[in-house]
């Protein structure tokens, strides 16, 4: 029996390939996620109407310019092609006439060119290899004067490439030796710069200097025509003007006897292009005026309101004695309107906060003066009392006022730092059911003389189709502060309950139809005397307290105010109502039932939104 062992190298290769495949899959997933994020970001950017408006207005003019330049380039090329075709047709006719006017010469034979002009079509001239046709300037010059179109320059080269005739020097019969040298002019610096720009834009070549008569031409089109090929070329002269060259071979009996070089005069093509360019310039000027007016309108709709908002914000910063108003642009359905609304809301919240701070400072001053006044009176009277009983009563008042001051200072400190703490704290998911369980267990475990029990009831959540019931009581917020709200409500209900009574805490899901929001409700009920009709809102004010049968100064009156502050910071609501029905539990001794039909207790309701 034999056992075959696997090859370790194969296993290593398989592991490497598997790791490589995983890396490629991970790279593809990463790329896909980034592309989706980029697409979402671009979609968010272009979802703004103001962004789309600015992009369209700014790019519209550039698109018009681009189309204009493309059209100008096509027009220029079409014009050049037309001139090339025209020069080719004219050049072929003139070259044929020049070839027919050529004179046959040799050492001993002279053939009259007039006889050659009278030869019938197809008739051949019998000559040996030593015969040669010469281009005679005296015969070619009159021909060029008669048939050469205006605005066209022609140069005639012989079989050696030597210039024998130039149409610009035609004032009669001109011999090649009589041609003066061309006059060279040096263009100005702006002209040279313009020529360089045009050469860069259109890829045209520079025109070489005119060649002396006695030299052989080195122009590529002339060299190609001497070989029997027609050649065209587009160049720019030193003044930056476009010139079209067409070189046509002058042939007689399939032998090239010279070259006819046709060219346009400098400026004729450029004048046509300039006219077209001026038309585009007029369109561009019109578009510029339109864009300028549109830009003014856009600046008026953006920069003007922004400037007014900035000035108003500056006035708010410096407005100490009066309340400043932010301009209202909320009727605009764009970012300016949104910014105006946000600044107005921010300013309103700022002034409300300032007023709340001023009111809070006044309330704190008032609440602190009461125990301080009582404490000062007791301290002033204490040295003058003569009996131990009176001294003990004064010491009791002093201790009561000190405890009251300590309680006030603690509650005031908690209320003053609450806003800053809630603003800095990060919201986390909270299981409200677990939080209420902890609060109720703690309230029942603490020893109280009234022996009031706290009971929790959790109703089945009203879930949508496909929703997990375990997530129905999850919200986002600050767990410790929300727990403080429930503690305050439970302690408040306990203080109004008779000894041995019960406080009920109920948790259920709820829907806010006014704002179309889903949320949860926490109800805290007691069997106390209820709430007077005038106090449903006042009980949430700072330092308000109305507890019949309870000693003065036993409560700071900040508990319910702090609770509302915490709930509103979580975008929630808190309110109080009276329970009605038949009373089953006795009232706490010394407390009278609130006026109203069949009031059997109070109910505080906290509504918190779900994420």
């Amino acid at each position: 029996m034999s056992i075959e062992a696997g090859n370790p190298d194969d296993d290593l290769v398989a592991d490497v390939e598997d790791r490589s495949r995983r890396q490629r899959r991970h790279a593809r997933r990463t790329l896909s996620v980034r592309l989706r994020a980029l697409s979402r970001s671009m979609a968010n950017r272009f979802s703004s109407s103001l962004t789309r408006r600015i992009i369209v207005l700014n790019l519209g003019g550039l698109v018009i310019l681009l189309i204009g330049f493309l059209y100008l380039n096509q027009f220029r090329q079409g014009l050049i092609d037309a001139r090339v075709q025209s020069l080719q047709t004219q050049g072929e006719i003139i070259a044929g006439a020049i070839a027919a006017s050529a004179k046959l010469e040799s050492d001993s034979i002279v053939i009259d060119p007039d006889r050659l002009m009278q030869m019938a079509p197809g008739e051949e001239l019998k000559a040996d290899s030593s015969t040669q046709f010469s281009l005679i300037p005296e015969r070619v010059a009159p021909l060029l004067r008669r048939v050469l179109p205006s605005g066209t320059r022609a140069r005639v080269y012989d079989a050696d490439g030597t210039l024998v005739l130039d149409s610009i020097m035609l004032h009669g019969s001109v011999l090649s030796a009589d041609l003066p040298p061309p006059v060279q002019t040096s263009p100005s610096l702006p002209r040279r710069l313009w020529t360089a720009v045009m050469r860069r834009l259109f890829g045209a070549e520079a025109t070489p200097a005119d060649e002396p008569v006695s030299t052989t031409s080195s122009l590529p089109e002339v060299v190609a025509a001497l070989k029997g090929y027609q050649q065209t070329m587009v160049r720019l002269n030193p003044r930056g003007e476009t010139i079209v060259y067409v070189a046509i071979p002058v042939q007689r009996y399939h032998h090239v006897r010279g070259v006819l070089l046709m060219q346009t005069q400098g400026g004729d093509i450029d004048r046509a292009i300039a006219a077209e360019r001026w038309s585009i310039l007029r369109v561009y000027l019109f578009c510029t005026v339109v864009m300028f007016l549109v830009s003014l309108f856009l600046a008026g709709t953006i920069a003007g309101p922004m400037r007014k908002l900035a000035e108003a914000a500056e006035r708010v910063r410096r407005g100490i004695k009066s309340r400043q108003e932010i301009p209202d642009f909320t009727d605009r359905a764009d970012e300016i309107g949104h910014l105006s609304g946000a600044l107005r809301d921010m300013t309103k919240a700022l002034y409300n906060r300032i007023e709340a701070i001023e009111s809070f400072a006044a309330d704190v001053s008032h609440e602190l003066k009461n125990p301080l006044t009582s404490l000062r009176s007791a301290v002033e009277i204490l040295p003058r009392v003569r009996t131990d009983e009176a001294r003990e009563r004064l010491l009791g008042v002093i201790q009561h006022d000190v405890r009251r001051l300590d309680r006030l200072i603690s509650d005031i400190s908690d209320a003053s730092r609450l806003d800053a703490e809630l603003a800095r704290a990060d919201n986390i998911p909270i299981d409200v059911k677990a939080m209420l369980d902890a609060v109720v267990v703690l309230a029942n475990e603490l020893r109280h003389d009234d022996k009031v029990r706290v009971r929790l009831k959790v109703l089945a959540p009203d879930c949508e189709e496909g929703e997990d019931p375990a997530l129905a009581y999850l919200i986002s917020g600050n767990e410790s502060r929300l727990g403080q709200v429930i503690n305050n409500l439970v302690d408040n209900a306990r203080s109004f309950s008779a000894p041995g009574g019960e406080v009920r805490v109920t948790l259920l899901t709820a829907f806010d139809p006014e704002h179309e929001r889903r949320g949860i409700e926490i109800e805290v009920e007691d069997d106390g005397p209820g709430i007077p009709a005038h106090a449903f809102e006042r009980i949430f004010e700072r330092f308000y307290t109305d507890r019949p049968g309870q000693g003065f100064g036993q409560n700071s009156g900040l508990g319910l105010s702090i609770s509302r502050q915490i709930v509103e910071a979580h975008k929630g609501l808190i309110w109080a109502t009276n329970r009605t029905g038949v009373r089953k539990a006795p009232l706490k001794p010394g407390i009278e039932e609130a006026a109203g039909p069949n009031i059997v207790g109070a109910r505080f309701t906290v509504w918190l939104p779900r994420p």
Side-chain angles (χ1 to χ4, degrees):
M1 181 178 181
S2 62
I3 300 176
E4 295 182 359
N7 190 346
D9 293 339
D10 295 340
D11 295 339
L12 180 60
V13 170
D15 292 341
V16 171
E17 291 179 350
D18 183 60
R19 186 161 54 251
S20 177
R21 284 194 297 270
R22 290 197 300 270
Q23 291 176 351
R24 287 196 296 269
R25 286 197 299 268
H26 177 70
R28 286 195 296 269
R29 286 196 298 268
T30 303
L31 179 60
S32 176
V33 170
R34 290 180 178 177
L35 289 177
R36 286 197 298 269
L38 179 61
S39 63
R40 286 194 298 268
S41 176
M42 295 300 293
N44 292 333
R45 287 176 183 271
F46 285 99
S47 63
S48 168
S49 61
L50 191 58
T51 301
R52 293 194 301 269
R53 212 179 312 165
I54 292 174
I55 290 176
V56 170
L57 290 176
N58 288 339
L59 292 185
L62 298 179
V63 170
I64 293 174
L65 282 179
L66 177 60
I67 295 173
F69 279 122
L70 291 177
Y71 174 73
L72 177 62
N73 195 24
Q74 292 175 357
F75 173 78
R76 179 180 183 274
Q77 188 61 43
L79 184 60
I80 289 175
D81 292 342
R83 295 307 299 270
V84 167
Q85 185 176 2
S86 175
L87 288 179
Q88 285 177 342
T89 303
Q90 295 170 6
E92 290 174 356
I93 296 173
I94 296 173
I98 292 174
S101 68
K103 182 178 180 181
L104 180 64
E105 296 179 351
S106 67
D107 293 337
S108 57
I109 302 175
V110 177
I111 301 177
D112 188 4
D114 294 333
R115 174 70 182 85
L116 296 178
M117 296 292 291
Q118 297 174 1
M119 292 177 61
E123 182 179 359
E124 295 184 0
L125 176 64
K126 304 299 183 180
D128 56 16
S129 60
S130 64
T131 61
Q132 178 178 341
F133 288 93
S134 297
L135 300 179
I136 307 302
E138 290 81 355
R139 299 181 64 87
V140 175
L143 178 63
L144 286 181
R145 281 203 310 271
R146 290 195 302 268
V147 300
L148 187 65
S150 60
T152 303
R153 179 183 178 183
R155 281 180 279 185
V156 180
Y157 296 85
D158 62 12
D160 296 330
T162 302
L163 180 66
V164 297
L165 188 64
D166 193 335
S167 63
I168 64 174
M169 304 301 295
L170 286 177
H171 297 289
S173 299
V174 181
L175 298 176
S176 61
D178 298 331
L179 291 174
V183 179
Q184 299 291 334
T185 59
S186 178
S188 61
L189 178 60
R191 178 63 65 179
R192 292 198 300 269
L193 293 177
W194 174 253
T195 303
V197 171
M198 294 297 293
R199 188 177 300 120
R200 174 68 65 179
L201 287 176
F202 300 111
E205 297 183 0
T207 302
D210 290 337
E211 300 167 329
V213 177
S214 59
T215 60
T216 301
S217 175
S218 60
L219 293 176
E221 57 268 30
V222 175
V223 175
L226 289 173
K227 298 178 181 179
Y229 303 103
Q230 289 190 11
Q231 187 72 19
T232 63
M233 186 67 67
V234 179
R235 292 191 178 93
L236 298 178
N237 64 12
R239 292 183 297 277
E241 298 170 336
T242 304
I243 300 178
V244 177
Y245 294 84
V246 175
I248 302 172
V250 179
Q251 302 185 41
R252 187 72 179 272
Y253 296 108
H254 305 292
H255 291 279
V256 177
R257 300 308 179 185
V259 175
L260 173 65
L261 181 63
M262 305 280 289
Q263 71 177 72
T264 59
Q265 293 291 343
D268 57 347
I269 293 179
D270 297 279
R271 282 190 292 272
I273 296 176
E276 189 67 21
R277 189 177 290 127
W278 170 240
S279 300
I280 293 180
L281 181 60
R282 285 182 293 183
V283 175
Y284 171 73
L285 292 176
F286 173 76
C287 294
T288 301
V289 172
V290 172
M291 183 174 291
F292 178 73
L293 296 177
V294 171
S295 299
L296 288 180
F297 171 75
L298 191 60
T301 58
I302 296 179
M306 292 289 288
R307 183 175 61 254
K308 293 179 181 179
L309 291 175
E311 293 173 353
E314 185 67 19
R315 290 196 301 269
V316 169
R317 185 181 69 85
R318 294 180 300 182
I320 301 175
K321 297 182 180 180
S322 61
R323 181 166 182 161
Q324 304 294 327
E325 291 292 335
I326 300 294
D328 187 7
F329 299 110
T330 53
D331 55 335
R332 295 180 47 158
D334 56 15
E335 286 78 359
I336 301 296
H338 178 72
L339 177 61
S340 174
L343 285 177
R344 288 174 63 85
D345 293 342
M346 181 189 71
T347 306
K348 182 179 178 181
L350 176 63
Y351 282 121
N352 290 340
R353 182 65 57 84
I354 293 175
E355 293 174 356
I357 292 174
E358 293 176 350
S359 176
F360 182 71
D363 293 342
V364 168
S365 175
H366 175 74
E367 292 298 323
L368 289 179
K369 280 183 178 180
N370 289 333
L372 283 176
T373 301
S374 174
L375 186 61
R376 183 178 60 183
S377 299
V379 171
E380 289 176 353
I381 296 174
L382 183 61
R384 295 197 295 269
V385 298
R386 297 180 179 180
T387 63
D388 293 339
E389 182 180 358
R391 185 178 292 106
E392 290 295 331
R393 286 200 304 271
L394 286 176
L395 289 175
V397 171
I398 291 173
Q399 291 175 357
H400 176 271
D401 290 338
V402 169
R403 289 193 299 270
R404 183 182 175 190
L405 281 173
D406 180 69
R407 184 165 49 253
L408 277 172
I409 292 173
S410 298
D411 290 345
I412 289 170
S413 175
D414 185 44
S416 62
R417 68 171 182 268
L418 183 60
D419 283 342
E421 179 182 334
L422 290 174
R424 289 193 300 266
D426 294 330
N427 291 338
I428 60 174
I430 302 173
D431 187 348
V432 179
K433 181 178 179 300
M435 180 189 71
L436 293 181
D437 282 335
V439 171
V440 170
V441 169
L442 181 62
N444 288 326
E445 288 182 352
L446 292 178
R447 294 184 178 182
H448 296 279
D449 296 336
D450 53 19
K451 297 181 180 180
V452 175
R453 302 296 298 173
V454 182
R455 181 168 59 87
L456 174 63
K457 181 180 181 181
V458 180
L459 301 182
D462 185 11
C463 299
E464 296 181 353
E465 184 178 356
E467 185 179 4
D468 187 0
L471 304 178
Y473 290 121
L474 284 180
I475 65 171
S476 179
N478 189 316
E479 186 173 6
S480 63
R481 286 300 183 178
L482 288 177
Q484 179 183 355
V485 171
I486 305 305
N487 271 323
N488 288 343
L489 296 180
V490 170
D491 290 342
N492 182 75
R494 185 193 293 271
S495 66
F496 286 99
S497 298
E502 183 181 70
V503 174
R504 293 168 295 280
V505 180
T506 306
L507 175 63
L508 65 155
T509 56
F511 181 78
D512 181 10
E514 181 179 356
H515 301 90
E516 297 183 354
R517 298 181 298 177
R518 297 186 305 159
I520 63 170
E521 279 189 3
I522 304 172
E523 296 178 349
V524 180
E525 299 178 348
D526 60 48
D527 297 323
I531 303 172
H534 68 277
F536 285 113
E537 285 297 323
R538 291 198 62 192
I539 58 177
F540 294 104
E541 297 177 0
R542 289 191 179 102
F543 304 110
Y544 176 82
T545 178
D546 184 9
R547 296 174 180 267
Q550 190 174 25
F552 175 75
Q554 298 297 323
N555 190 278
S556 66
L558 286 173
L560 292 179
S561 174
I562 291 174
S563 297
R564 168 168 279 186
Q565 191 175 356
I566 294 173
V567 171
E568 289 180 349
H570 287 78
K571 311 299 181 185
L573 301 171
I574 182 172
W575 65 92
T577 55
N578 283 326
R579 298 172 47 243
T580 58
V582 180
R583 178 172 295 281
K584 299 179 181 179
L587 289 175
K588 189 175 182 178
I591 296 180
E592 296 182 358
E593 188 172 0
N598 303 324
I599 295 178
V600 298
R603 178 189 295 116
F604 286 84
T605 305
V606 176
W607 183 90
L608 296 171
R610 293 174 57 187

